[in-house]
Amino acid sequence: MTDTARQLLQELMGELEGSGKKYTDPDVCKDHLVDFCPNQLFTNTKVDLGPCDLVHDDRLRESYQKSDDKGRLGYEEVFYDRVQRLSYDLQRKVRRALDRVTAEADEQLVNPHKEEKEERAIILDERIKQMIPQIEQLGESDNVEEAFAMFSQMERMKGDLDALKERIDSINPMFKNEKRLGVCDVCGALLVPNDASKRLDAHNEGKQHQGYIRIQKALDELKAQGGSVRESRASGARSRERSVKSRRSRSPYSRRDRHRSYRDGSRRRR
């Protein structure tokens, strides 16, 4: 079953009957609670992250977003750390793609066997030059048929020389196309500049392109709030610590009470 079909089934079952789940359950996707599940962004694309078998319930996300637990359970720090890694991977992919389309290709790849073809062209040109006086001598000796046969042979050799010179100056078609490629700075895909508008629109609306836009949007929102992934992690740790201290302070049986009870019990035994 695909991720899309699984999600639709979960939504349908959720509408028909309550799931009874809580957002803290281990089989609930915590990334989805915070914002979105990265695994669902790139389904059936070249950068598919694989399926996420956890529960993706919008009602649980709404419940978590409205709860006092938001930002205190460490879900945000894990989510932002993950999308930051995906952003770093994308940046490396863009750099590799740019290096690929801008670097000068090796001469042997651009024009294979160029030196060998140049050497053959020199030999062929010399043979043609040697045939010219021979043809003239045959003509002066009234060997018309032999002179005509050699002349025809020389003309064929000139044609071969012209074709060889064209191959010497030619470039591997693969590299001609490569130099016309561009790199999408949003998703790292290779693009053909001045391509048909429909094809570019299809690319911009595609899952891979839109998925990376959503990742960057999440990071931009975190930055706009004056935070970073590291600060988010620290904030989550502080929130959890405050939560633990708060629960301890609200406990009807504090450490001081336990100490007093132990001391009173010891006195009674005496």
Side-chain angles (χ1 to χ4, degrees):
M1 181 183 295
T2 64
D3 289 346
T4 304
R6 186 182 293 108
Q7 185 178 6
L8 290 174
L9 179 60
Q10 289 175 356
E11 293 176 355
L12 178 61
M13 295 301 294
E15 292 176 359
L16 294 178
E17 57 183 62
S19 63
K21 287 191 171 299
K22 300 187 294 291
Y23 54 74
T24 53
D25 289 347
D27 60 343
V28 173
C29 179
K30 305 306 187 287
D31 289 340
H32 185 77
L33 296 178
V34 176
D35 196 342
F36 58 85
C37 176
N39 292 67
Q40 295 184 326
L41 295 181
F42 305 110
T43 307
N44 298 326
T45 69
K46 292 182 179 179
V47 292
D48 195 331
L49 300 176
C52 177
D53 297 326
L54 301 176
V55 175
H56 302 85
D57 192 323
D58 290 342
R59 291 172 299 179
L60 291 178
R61 177 168 58 189
E62 182 179 359
S63 176
Y64 170 74
Q65 292 291 332
K66 294 179 179 179
S67 72
D68 294 336
D69 288 330
K70 180 181 178 181
R72 295 183 175 183
L73 302 178
Y75 299 163
E76 282 76 11
E77 60 189 83
V78 174
F79 170 77
Y80 284 116
D81 186 67
R82 187 180 183 195
V83 295
Q84 183 70 81
R85 289 199 306 270
L86 291 172
S87 179
Y88 287 152
D89 291 341
L90 172 64
Q91 292 171 22
R92 286 194 293 269
K93 178 182 177 182
V94 170
R95 286 196 297 269
R96 288 196 301 267
L98 286 172
D99 291 341
R100 179 183 171 189
V101 299
T102 59
E104 292 183 1
D106 183 83
E107 182 69 22
Q108 287 298 321
L109 296 176
V110 174
N111 195 340
H113 312 295
K114 181 177 180 180
E115 293 182 358
E116 179 182 340
K117 287 182 284 189
E118 288 176 339
E119 185 176 352
R120 287 171 53 193
I122 292 173
I123 294 174
L124 194 56
D125 186 59
E126 288 295 327
R127 290 180 58 187
I128 292 173
K129 291 178 180 179
Q130 293 173 2
M131 293 177 71
I132 294 175
Q134 295 177 8
I135 294 173
E136 292 176 352
Q137 290 179 3
L138 291 172
E140 293 174 355
S141 303
D142 293 332
N143 294 324
V144 179
E145 292 183 2
E146 190 173 349
F148 182 76
M150 184 172 290
F151 177 80
S152 299
Q153 182 182 0
M154 185 182 69
E155 289 298 312
R156 288 194 299 271
M157 291 172 64
K158 284 183 178 180
D160 293 340
L161 179 60
D162 291 339
L164 188 57
K165 287 181 178 180
E166 289 181 2
R167 290 199 298 272
I168 291 174
D169 296 331
S170 65
I171 297 177
N172 191 328
M174 180 181 69
F175 287 92
K176 285 184 177 180
N177 294 334
E178 192 83 356
K179 291 183 181 297
R180 290 199 299 267
L181 292 176
V183 179
C184 176
D185 57 357
V186 173
C187 66
L190 295 178
L191 301 174
V192 178
N194 302 320
D195 199 358
S197 58
K198 289 184 179 180
R199 191 172 302 177
L200 289 176
D201 290 342
H203 164 78
N204 292 333
E205 296 171 1
K207 273 188 177 182
Q208 182 171 325
H209 190 88
Q210 290 296 320
Y212 280 115
I213 286 179
R214 192 165 185 185
I215 287 175
Q216 191 56 51
K217 181 181 178 182
L219 293 174
D220 289 342
E221 289 175 351
L222 178 64
K223 186 177 180 180
Q225 296 169 3
S228 66
V229 174
R230 182 176 298 178
E231 290 171 353
S232 176
R233 186 181 295 113
S235 176
R238 289 194 296 269
S239 296
R240 290 195 300 276
E241 185 178 355
R242 287 195 298 268
S243 178
V244 171
K245 289 181 178 179
S246 177
R247 287 196 296 270
R248 286 177 178 175
S249 65
R250 292 195 302 267
S251 174
Y253 195 57
S254 64
R255 181 180 298 177
R256 185 168 56 185
D257 293 336
R258 289 195 299 269
H259 180 69
R260 183 183 298 113
S261 177
Y262 173 77
R263 186 176 56 189
D264 294 344
S266 299
R267 289 175 178 175
R268 285 195 297 272
R269 285 195 297 272
R270 292 177 184 177

